[in-house]
Amino acid sequence: MRWRAVLALTVIALAAAPATAEIKSGSEFLSPEMRRQQADETRNPAWFWVEQGEELFSRKPQTGAACISCHAEPKQSLRGAATHYPQVDAASGKLLNLEGRIEQCRIERQKQPGFGYETPEMLAMTAYVASLSRGLPVEVKTDGAAKPYYEAGKAFFERRQGQLNLSCQQCHDGMVGQKLRGDTISYGAGTGYPAYRLEWNDVGSLHRRLRACSLGVRATQFDYGSPEYLALELFLAGRAKGLPVETPGIRR
Amino acid sequence: MGGERPGAAMPVLADRAGAAVVASTFRPPPQTPPRKGEGLPRLMLLGEAVVVGALLLSVCGPGTALALEPYEVVGDAIPRPLGGFTGDPAHGEQLVRDRERGNCLICHQGADPREPFQGTIGPPLAGVGARLDAGQIRLKLVDASRLNPETVMPPYFRTEGLRDVSPQYRGKPALSAQEIEDVVAYLASLKTP
């Protein structure tokens, strides 16, 4: 029976398919021209930050070692590293995103003053390290030690907040594709960050973007690197599992 | 502060490709039009204790949370104007367009098709005055969750039961009673779909 063969092949094909996210990247909501600009290193302004980060990575501080003295051949050794963030730090039990890990390395291993969140240096370094995972699927852990953080992020995503009394979920699950004035509501995948955002005319972190969301519903803007946004970042990354890292992205 | 901070060496991007797009896509922050009778609602029923109380509070304690004017829900409507105020439809239209105050067009298609970039989330506003009466419009503005707990329509006249409200908005409704009445008067006038 022909249809049985077709069915069997379909089942095999489905079983063999890699786990893919049910959501789409923010790039899907850009115009074709902006997608082309994002993909073109000579026209995507965020590549300036990546280049700056690459330079910083090799620069030896007056005291202590450069990043590259431990992470030799970063294009190979750090390929894929960013796909696993945020992750729980085994030693401290704390949830760290890529910014947190870079800062930890800088302070504890290189014995240097921290860059600080959202500084040009941190943005450049994060953009560079994340860019080394460009095209690889997001692969964060959401179980085990990460589970409580993931659940906290999920609860944050689902609860109404702010004077406008809206949850992230109401827009970024229920209203995807709808227009908020001239902007199209996306799934809120963070796979392009740090990204060059037209509204900022600048590169910013995912937490800067989340602060803009909070402001939009007139809710408390949590600090860069706050437990609230870290947990939300993990939840968003969990939703985006299987989507490729696009850093440095361009976003509206 | 490490000596190796690149600081000023970071690229300046103002003249790069993105800037042209920014200039054409994004407007400067909107100018909020001066509001009539700032903090002093137009009183229609001077004898009403509630109104006088609110006025006293607004005079005595700027920055402190005001008790909201009470209202009564009857069925799917708030039949009587908040605070006994009379709405000004022209000011209501300004509030509907204004991106800081009402900002209604972020989600709704308004009655003026010339307005660029209108939202597609809520129902179109054209004809709302034929579909709903003033009391029904009023309840939808004040707190639409009383009609539908899952609604995405924000409550414009509510301060209770909200979580993590930004300090600058805490304890204040999104629109004042007078402003609600202005918007109600404008929307009720939109009879043509």
Side-chain angles (χ1 to χ4, degrees):
Chain A
M1 298 280 274
R2 189 184 165 85
W3 66 270
R4 277 181 196 276
V6 171
L7 183 67
L9 281 174
T10 310
V11 169
I12 290 166
L14 284 175
T20 48
E22 291 170 7
I23 66 169
K24 290 178 183 166
S25 155
S27 294
E28 302 283 326
F29 301 87
L30 299 176
S31 68
E33 167 50 26
M34 277 182 60
R35 279 204 291 276
R36 281 193 293 275
Q37 192 185 351
Q38 175 177 261
D40 182 347
E41 292 185 25
T42 64
R43 292 203 301 141
N44 178 342
W47 280 97
F48 281 123
W49 275 259
V50 172
E51 288 162 14
Q52 192 81 50
E54 184 173 13
E55 195 271 319
L56 258 181
F57 198 87
S58 303
R59 195 189 297 175
K60 191 185 172 313
Q62 287 175 340
T63 57
C67 308
I68 203 162
S69 42
C70 291
H71 301 279
E73 301 293 333
K75 285 192 169 76
Q76 285 83 48
S77 64
L78 289 179
R79 175 102 180 122
T83 64
H84 303 294
Y85 285 86
Q87 66 177 227
V88 175
D89 177 44
S92 66
K94 286 185 177 164
L95 187 65
L96 290 181
N97 60 2
L98 197 54
E99 288 88 343
R101 180 65 81 195
I102 289 169
E103 197 76 322
Q104 183 193 53
C105 224
R106 186 167 163 82
I107 294 169
E108 294 181 9
R109 302 219 166 79
Q110 292 177 290
K111 309 291 183 195
Q112 296 297 311
F115 288 135
Y117 225 102
E118 221 60 19
T119 54
E121 296 87 342
M122 179 58 85
L123 287 169
M125 191 68 87
T126 318
Y128 170 62
V129 174
S131 77
L132 299 175
S133 296
R134 222 164 134 84
L136 296 180
V138 171
E139 196 46 74
V140 286
K141 277 199 173 125
T142 55
D143 55 1
K147 194 160 194 294
Y149 294 107
Y150 177 80
E151 293 297 333
K154 183 170 186 285
F156 187 94
F157 186 81
E158 290 173 354
R159 76 181 182 231
R160 287 177 181 263
Q161 50 183 301
Q163 190 192 47
L164 302 188
N165 201 33
L166 288 166
S167 69
C168 314
Q169 182 175 40
Q170 283 181 293
C171 287
H172 296 287
D173 265 350
M175 301 279 173
V176 172
Q178 298 286 332
K179 292 286 186 187
L180 270 181
R181 278 287 190 175
D183 215 351
T184 310
I185 300 179
S186 73
Y187 286 97
T191 48
Y193 283 84
Y196 184 87
R197 196 162 172 244
L198 299 187
E199 189 170 324
W200 299 329
N201 202 14
D202 196 4
V203 164
S205 67
L206 181 65
H207 289 204
R208 184 174 176 192
R209 183 65 190 84
L210 296 177
R211 283 170 60 84
C213 263
S214 295
L215 185 68
V217 297
R218 301 182 179 177
T220 304
Q221 290 180 291
F222 294 97
D223 285 339
Y224 293 99
S226 63
E228 289 85 356
Y229 287 157
L230 279 173
L232 180 59
E233 181 177 355
L234 178 61
F235 176 71
L236 295 178
R239 261 165 56 100
K241 267 190 202 177
L243 287 181
V245 172
E246 296 180 358
T247 309
I250 296 183
R251 295 292 181 266
R252 296 186 56 170
Chain B
M1 296 292 146
E4 74 288 5
R5 293 169 73 94
M10 288 305 294
V12 174
L13 296 162
D15 56 349
R16 288 283 299 195
V21 184
V22 173
S24 64
T25 311
F26 293 95
R27 301 164 159 201
Q31 301 285 314
T32 307
R35 293 172 53 210
K36 279 181 282 183
E38 193 88 42
L40 290 175
R42 275 160 284 140
L43 302 184
M44 299 310 294
L45 301 169
L46 276 171
E48 288 204 6
V50 170
V51 173
V52 174
L55 181 61
L56 282 174
L57 269 173
S58 71
V59 170
C60 300
T64 57
L66 296 183
L68 299 185
E69 289 82 348
Y71 58 85
E72 187 189 2
V73 177
V74 180
D76 64 351
I78 300 173
R80 285 192 298 190
L82 301 182
F85 298 130
T86 296
D88 170 356
H91 190 229
E93 182 175 9
Q94 280 178 28
L95 289 166
V96 166
R97 286 175 185 264
D98 184 83
R99 291 181 187 232
E100 297 295 316
R101 298 295 300 159
N103 201 20
C104 306
L105 304 183
I106 193 172
C107 289
H108 294 272
Q109 170 90 30
D112 181 357
R114 292 169 304 175
E115 176 79 25
F117 299 125
Q118 305 189 53
T120 59
I121 290 166
L125 300 182
V128 64
R131 300 192 298 270
L132 303 171
D133 67 26
Q136 291 171 314
I137 295 171
R138 187 175 292 112
L139 179 53
K140 281 179 183 282
L141 295 177
V142 164
D143 188 1
S145 73
R146 297 180 68 137
L147 298 165
N148 169 17
E150 304 302 317
T151 188
V152 294
M153 172 76 175
Y156 284 88
F157 194 68
R158 170 177 153 191
T159 54
E160 301 297 317
L162 303 175
R163 177 164 185 157
D164 289 334
V165 176
S166 157
Q168 67 186 113
Y169 297 106
R170 209 168 289 161
K172 300 169 192 161
L175 294 176
S176 70
Q178 176 66 66
E179 289 172 325
I180 293 281
E181 290 310 316
D182 293 344
V183 176
V184 168
Y186 170 63
L187 295 178
S189 76
L190 300 177
K191 305 286 190 195
T192 314

